[in-house]
Amino acid sequence: MSVPAGERNLSSAQFVYDAFKLYKLALRICLSMPKRYTYMIAHPLLEKARCLNNLCIQGNSIFPIKYKEDFAMRRQFLLQAKGVACSISADISALLYIKHEVDNGENSPLVSVRDSDLNTWLSLLNKEINTLEKIIRSDEKRFKDTQAICNTQTQVQNNKIAKFVA
């Protein structure tokens, strides 16, 4: 059975796959950088990309159903992932600025890094940030709904106990 195109939604694990794609792209870009930028630029970017991937996996592994602590833990992982993604975005913007700020007709030291790769990385990061925001909002709504259901069930059980005792 197929789903009509207008009714399709983002898969719940899509943001994890996007984080993995960002990590693969980070590997490709950082490996093409000159060796002298390994410790200043490439290594920190790879660590941030790895951290983003791990935080998305950890956040996705917690599927809160009724406990507030599970919602808080998942929210914390997703907020940290969003922060790391914003940090990577700022670093890539700085790379683009450095790459195009060349005086006296000299070649850029980052000539081996393609603009298209950096722009693809930025667009994927923006997509990831927006997706994480949507998931966080969706979780907040779900928790409010779940909390209302749990409270209603508790009140019904308390009423039954009160009637049995009386």
Side-chain angles (χ1 to χ4, degrees):
M1 201 171 180
S2 64
V3 178
E7 296 178 17
R8 293 182 188 153
N9 292 329
L10 186 66
S11 169
S12 62
Q14 182 66 37
F15 74 101
V16 176
Y17 178 68
D18 288 345
F20 180 69
K21 284 194 327 190
L22 285 165
Y23 182 56
K24 287 190 323 186
L25 188 58
L27 278 170
R28 190 173 78 208
I29 290 172
C30 291
L31 288 175
S32 70
M33 284 184 186
K35 293 287 184 200
R36 64 181 173 213
Y37 292 112
T38 299
Y39 295 106
M40 292 186 320
I41 297 172
H43 184 70
L45 276 175
L46 277 175
E47 281 301 311
K48 287 179 184 180
R50 180 182 294 127
C51 182
L52 174 65
N53 188 32
N54 290 339
L55 287 169
C56 287
I57 290 170
Q58 290 170 340
N60 192 51
S61 68
I62 300 171
F63 193 76
I65 295 176
K66 100 178 167 184
Y67 298 110
K68 186 175 184 176
E69 293 80 17
D70 290 344
F71 280 93
M73 195 180 314
R74 177 177 163 102
R75 186 175 198 277
Q76 180 183 8
F77 283 129
L78 296 179
L79 284 173
Q80 286 178 347
K82 181 183 164 194
V84 170
C86 290
S87 175
I88 294 172
S89 180
D91 290 347
I92 295 170
S93 297
L95 273 177
L96 278 168
Y97 181 76
I98 289 170
K99 184 172 180 185
H100 294 291
E101 184 188 57
V102 179
D103 293 331
N104 302 329
E106 298 174 10
N107 283 336
S108 170
L110 296 173
V111 74
S112 60
V113 179
R114 296 187 311 216
D115 284 346
S116 62
D117 286 344
L118 292 176
N119 288 327
T120 301
W121 205 6
L122 277 175
S123 66
L124 276 172
L125 276 167
N126 288 334
K127 179 183 172 190
E128 184 76 3
I129 291 168
N130 291 335
T131 304
L132 288 169
E133 287 175 353
K134 288 177 186 176
I135 291 171
I136 291 168
R137 275 188 258 127
S138 167
D139 283 354
E140 288 173 355
K141 182 183 179 299
R142 186 181 327 119
F143 178 68
K144 287 178 185 174
D145 294 345
T146 305
Q147 192 173 25
I149 291 169
C150 291
N151 289 340
T152 305
Q153 290 174 347
T154 305
Q155 289 172 355
V156 169
Q157 289 174 350
N158 289 342
N159 289 340
K160 287 181 182 178
I161 292 171
K163 287 179 184 177
F164 180 74
V165 173

